[in-house]
């Protein structure tokens, strides 16, 4: 069965999209640690990041860097943290998290946002993409 992220990429499940190219897709995490928390996903469905082929791994990092720079420019934060967990969704994804404190990196403090707030944040990040 297709992963939830494949279904998002295919447009079957809605997402607050940030960026997309031939091989990768970025969208806002629906249960964010902090406003702007973004996931970068390869379209190729692989469970664990270290199992990606070299080109996809390097391509994902380059894509996440581009999205992360836009995120850092759009959302007030000390820096953008990068995490890979994957215990919930078995489809490789990089978490990009605007950090103001260590708590934002812990996945235990979450923020609730309305759909309008998610869309406003997504628009701000998209506007900073280069
Ligand atoms: P993990 O697999 O532990 O790295 O966590 C998976 C992440 O995916 C969590 O932060 C979830 O909030 C996020 N997530 C799960 N379903 C969705 C969805 N439909 N849209 C956006 N983010 C999601």
């Amino acid at each position: 069965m297709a992963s939830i992220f494949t279904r998002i990429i295919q447009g079957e499940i809605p997402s607050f999209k940030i960026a997309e190219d031939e091989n990768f897709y970025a969208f806002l995490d629906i249960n964010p640690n902090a406003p702007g928390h973004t996931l970068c996903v390869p379209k190729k469905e692989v469970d664990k990041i270290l199992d990606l082929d070299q080109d996809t791994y390097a391509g994902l990092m380059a894509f996440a860097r581009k999205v992360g720079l836009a995120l850092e420019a759009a959302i007030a934060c000390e820096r953008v943290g990068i995490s890979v967990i994957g215990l919930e969704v078995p489809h490789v994804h990089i978490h990009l998290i605007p950090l103001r404190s260590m708590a934002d990196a812990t996945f235990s403090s979450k923020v609730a946002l309305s759909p309008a707030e998610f869309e406003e944040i997504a628009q701000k990040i998209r506007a900073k993409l280069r």
Side-chain angles (χ1 to χ4, degrees), residues 96-111:
L96 299 175
I97 307 166
L99 300 177
R100 289 180 173 161
S101 71
M102 189 50 121
D104 294 333
T106 62
F107 294 85
S108 52
S109 69
K110 297 289 183 174
V111 293

Side-chain angles (χ1 to χ4, degrees), residues 56-87:
T56 307
Y57 181 89
L60 176 62
M61 289 300 164
F63 180 78
R65 178 173 183 271
K66 183 176 146 173
V67 173
L69 288 170
L71 183 53
E72 205 165 53
I75 305 292
C77 61
E78 275 197 35
R79 60 179 58 219
V80 170
I82 300 179
S83 296
V84 177
I85 313 289
L87 290 172

Side-chain angles (χ1 to χ4, degrees), residues 1 8 25 29 31 44 65-66 93 106 109 117 128:
M1 199 179 110
I8 286 173
Y25 192 96
D29 193 299
N31 188 21
K44 189 183 287 185
R65 178 173 183 271
K66 183 176 146 173
H93 50 285
T106 62
S109 69
E117 288 171 321
K128 296 292 184 184

Side-chain angles (χ1 to χ4, degrees), residues 4-121:
I4 188 161
F5 290 167
T6 293
R7 295 173 67 199
I8 286 173
I9 292 162
Q10 290 174 348
E12 211 181 295
I13 293 176
S15 67
F16 296 95
K17 181 168 146 180
I18 303 296
E20 179 176 15
D21 68 14
E22 193 189 336
N23 298 312
F24 306 103
Y25 192 96
F27 56 105
L28 293 180
D29 193 299
I30 207 67
N31 188 21
N33 292 18
H37 183 165
T38 297
L39 303 176
C40 296
V41 180
K43 292 184 176 177
K44 189 183 287 185
E45 194 177 315
V46 170
D47 179 358
K48 297 188 283 182
I49 193 163
L50 297 180
D51 291 338
L52 287 175
D53 62 80
Q54 177 64 32
D55 285 352
T56 307
Y57 181 89
L60 176 62
M61 289 300 164
F63 180 78
R65 178 173 183 271
K66 183 176 146 173
V67 173
L69 288 170
L71 183 53
E72 205 165 53
I75 305 292
C77 61
E78 275 197 35
R79 60 179 58 219
V80 170
I82 300 179
S83 296
V84 177
I85 313 289
L87 290 172
E88 183 185 324
V89 178
H91 182 154
V92 173
H93 50 285
I94 292 179
H95 294 261
L96 299 175
I97 307 166
L99 300 177
R100 289 180 173 161
S101 71
M102 189 50 121
D104 294 333
T106 62
F107 294 85
S108 52
S109 69
K110 297 289 183 174
V111 293
L113 299 170
S114 68
E117 288 171 321
F118 273 114
E119 190 46 50
E120 188 186 337
I121 290 165

